[in-house]
Amino acid sequence: VAQVTGLCRALRRSEDEGDEAGWARAREEAEAALRELREVVRPLREPGYGEALRRKAERARKRRLRLQRRKHEARAAKEEEAARAAEREAKIDQWRAKCIQEVEEKNRERELKAAADSVLSEVRKKQADTKRMVDVLRGLEKLRKLRKEAAARKGVCPPPSADEAFENQVESLKTLLKTRTELYEAEERALRVMLEGEQEEERKREMEKKQKKEREKLLQKKLEMDSKLFGDPAEFPLAHLLQPFRDYYLQAEHSVAALIQIRHEWDQYLVPADHPEGSCIPPGWVFPSLPTNDTWATAVR
C-alpha cells in the first residue's frame, strides 16, 4: 500500500510537471503494483478465509500453550527430581556420617583397649614373674623334701640347724613374694580404676557432644517453628510491630505465673481422646492450613 501510494504521488508530480515519459512510466509501475496488491488481497475476500485464519491462529495459540505447559511440567519434574536427589544425598550423607561415627567409636574403643593392654602388660609381666618365682620356690621345697627322704633311707640325716636355716630362708622369700604380689595387685587395681575413669570421661564427653547436637537440633526446629508462626524477623522489615504479639504468645517462656495461668486455662478443656464433644490438646503447635483462594494467599504474603 505504501509503495502504491508513493507511485501515485510520483504520477501526480509527473502530470503537474508535464513529463509525459515519466508519467507513463509511473503509471505502468503503479498499475503493476496495484495488480500485485489486488492479488495479495484477493484471498481475504474469499468466503471462509477469515474463519480458516482464526482456526489457524487458535491452533497456534493452543500449540504455544501446550508447549508452555510441557515446558512447565518438565521444569517441575526436574525440580522434583532435584529435590528427591537432594533428599537421597542427605540420607546418604547421614548414613555415611553414622557409619563413620560407628567406625570411629570402634577404633576409639580399640585404641583404649590397646592402651590399657600396653599399660597393664608390664604389671602382668611382673605378676607372672612373681608367680613363676613362687612355683620355683615350691619346686625347691619339694626337691629338698625328696632329697631329705632319700638321704634318710641311706642313714644320712642333716642337722636341725640346716632345716631351720632352710625354713627361715623359704619363709623370707615367701614374705617377699607375697609383698610383691600385693603391691602388683594394688598397682593393677589403680591402673584399672584410672583406665575406667578415662573411659568414663570419654563416654561422658561423647554423651555431652550428642546432647549438644540434640539441643542445637531442637533449637533450630524451634526457630523454624517460630518463623512459621510469627514470621521471620530478617525478612520482615517492621518486625518490631509484631513484638507485642510475640511477647504475648511467648510469655510462658519468661514468666512462671503466666505459664501457670495458661496451663490452667488449657486444663479446663482436657478431655479423653474418645470424648464425643471434644478432642485432646495437640502435643505441639497447630500450623495454619494453606490458603484456599488467591485473595487469602495475597493477604498471607
Side-chain angles (χ1 to χ4, degrees):
V1 173
Q3 184 181 2
V4 171
T5 302
L7 291 173
C8 289
R9 285 197 300 267
L11 187 62
R12 294 192 187 92
R13 188 168 55 253
S14 299
E15 184 177 3
D16 295 338
E17 294 176 355
D19 186 5
E20 296 182 359
W23 183 85
R25 186 170 59 255
R27 182 171 179 272
E28 291 177 359
E29 292 178 358
E31 289 178 352
L34 187 59
R35 286 194 300 271
E36 183 180 358
L37 182 59
R38 287 172 180 172
E39 187 65 24
V40 172
V41 176
R42 184 178 56 80
L44 298 176
R45 298 176 179 176
E46 295 178 358
Y49 183 80
E51 184 65 22
L53 193 63
R54 188 190 63 79
R55 289 196 299 269
K56 185 177 180 181
E58 184 66 19
R59 286 197 300 271
R61 187 184 67 83
K62 290 181 179 181
R63 183 173 178 271
R64 286 196 302 271
L65 292 177
R66 186 167 58 253
L67 292 177
Q68 291 178 359
R69 185 172 61 253
R70 289 179 180 176
K71 186 177 180 180
H72 178 72
E73 291 176 354
R75 184 168 61 250
K78 186 176 180 180
E79 292 177 356
E80 185 178 358
E81 180 62 27
R84 287 198 297 267
E87 185 177 359
R88 288 196 299 269
E89 288 293 333
K91 291 182 178 179
I92 292 174
D93 293 339
Q94 184 179 2
W95 173 79
R96 186 184 296 113
K98 183 179 179 181
C99 293
I100 292 174
Q101 183 179 1
E102 292 178 355
V103 172
E104 290 179 352
E105 289 179 356
K106 290 181 180 179
N107 292 335
R108 192 179 300 109
E109 292 178 359
R110 192 180 300 111
E111 291 175 358
L112 290 174
K113 186 177 180 181
D117 293 339
S118 63
V119 172
L120 294 175
S121 60
E122 187 67 23
V123 178
R124 290 172 179 172
K125 182 179 179 181
K126 293 177 181 179
Q127 289 178 343
D129 293 341
T130 304
K131 185 178 180 181
R132 185 167 57 254
M133 292 175 66
V134 171
D135 294 337
V136 171
L137 187 60
R138 290 175 181 173
L140 288 175
E141 288 180 339
K142 185 176 181 181
L143 178 61
R144 189 179 187 282
K145 181 180 179 182
L146 292 175
R147 287 184 176 180
K148 185 177 179 180
E149 292 177 353
R153 284 195 296 270
K154 294 179 181 179
V156 180
C157 295
S161 59
D163 293 338
E164 184 179 357
F166 181 79
E167 293 294 336
N168 293 334
Q169 189 68 25
V170 169
E171 289 296 330
S172 176
L173 291 175
K174 285 184 177 180
T175 303
L176 178 62
L177 292 177
K178 183 179 180 181
T179 303
R180 288 188 177 184
T181 302
E182 293 176 353
L183 178 63
Y184 296 153
E185 289 178 353
E187 187 176 356
E188 181 182 6
R189 287 195 298 271
L191 290 174
R192 288 186 179 277
V193 171
M194 185 184 302
L195 291 175
E196 289 178 0
E198 292 180 357
Q199 294 176 357
E200 184 65 26
E201 289 294 332
E202 183 67 22
R203 287 193 294 268
K204 187 181 296 184
R205 286 193 294 268
E206 292 295 330
M207 183 62 66
E208 289 177 355
K209 290 181 180 179
K210 186 176 180 181
Q211 292 176 355
K212 183 178 179 181
K213 290 181 179 179
E214 291 293 333
R215 287 195 299 269
E216 292 177 353
K217 185 177 180 181
L218 292 176
L219 180 60
Q220 183 64 27
K221 187 176 181 180
K222 182 179 181 299
L223 292 177
E224 293 178 357
M225 189 180 300
D226 292 343
S227 176
K228 291 180 180 180
L229 292 172
F230 307 113
D232 190 358
E235 297 180 358
F236 192 65
L238 300 178
H240 61 280
L241 297 178
L242 295 178
Q243 191 62 36
F245 301 97
R246 295 176 61 89
D247 294 340
Y248 174 76
Y249 285 107
L250 301 178
Q251 58 181 331
E253 297 183 1
H254 309 285
S255 175
V256 178
L259 174 62
I260 296 174
Q261 178 63 25
I262 294 173
R263 181 59 188 265
H264 175 69
E265 294 176 356
W266 275 92
D267 290 346
Q268 295 178 358
Y269 301 95
L270 288 177
V271 293
D274 56 350
H275 198 278
E277 297 182 358
S279 59
C280 60
I281 298 176
W285 289 103
V286 179
F287 293 100
S289 58
L290 297 176
T292 56
N293 52 52
D294 296 338
T295 305
W296 185 10
T298 304
V300 171
R301 286 197 298 268

